[in-house]
Amino acid sequence: GPLKPEITITYIAVSAIFFNSGLSLKTEELTSALMHVKLHLFVQIFTLVFFPTAIWVFLQLLSITPINEWLLKGLQTVGCMPPPVSSAVILTKAVGGNEAAAIFNSAFGSFLGIVITPLLLLLFLGSSSSVPFTSIFSQLFMTVVVPLIIGQIVRRYIKDWLERKKPPFGAISSCVLLMIIYTTFCDTFANPNIDLDKFSLIIVVFIIFSVQMSFMFLTFLFSTRNNSTFTPADTVAIVFCSTHKSLTLGIPMLKIVFAGYEHLSLISVPLLIYHPAQILLGSLLVPTIKSWMVSRQK
């Protein structure tokens, strides 16, 4: 169509999001969180090792059910995604948790995800035969890493202006992300061969909410056990960063790794559901988690 998503979305929109992230990311805030190695290890191992493995085991059981197999593969791609740059940080800040740790793990997880997520996708979904590694990493490098680095370099020169004016970085990223989501939905439902039955869709929505609730509870239990050295503020950052998944990085990555796949639209659906679900669920839990944290700190 007139939006030309094969150019505007694949290259310009994705690069714009990460340039914007680089411009808005306060590098100095990350240095204070850098030394909290145990927390970072917990979040990254849970997100990029335990999460995708647990989903894979769960999907082996679901494979005998009549649920659409491409939606199940989509659930696996959700498990392989890195933590998001925004939603986990926003919710951690809303509760009053360790915001610096949330920022560090979101940023660090996104960097790790550029390399690890395509490897996980190829490992669990086996698309290595049709997608060469070099094209995946070169495109991710040019559209994610380079804009992020340029954004950080530009920030150094206009830092005072940014602090004074406080441009609406969040709104800009949201608008670009909305454009990416819109074109992905168009791709999904404009495909005449799409075979999306209501039963599978409803079950997948239920699974997504169940997985989020279970994993939030699991990370909460692990980080608050008796021999744990995490503070209540650390626990808040852990719960959100470990269970949230990035749509900003995820959709462009799926488009690169599964370029030319007939069922790319169906594979994208669970991630498109997971993102609003994690924000909705997190927002509903903010008052409860906040009251718990305050009572523990007292």
Side-chain angles (χ1 to χ4, degrees), residues 58 203-217 281:
F58 182 49
I203 294 296
V204 164
V205 171
F206 175 74
I207 290 168
I208 284 169
F209 275 98
S210 302
V211 163
Q212 282 191 40
M213 285 296 293
S214 304
F215 283 1
M216 286 177 89
F217 184 63
L281 201 57

Side-chain angles (χ1 to χ4, degrees), residues 24-38:
S24 61
L25 202 61
K26 294 181 180 177
T27 320
E28 57 273 17
E29 284 186 4
L30 305 183
T31 52
S32 61
L34 192 61
M35 301 312 293
H36 210 332
V37 178
K38 188 180 175 185

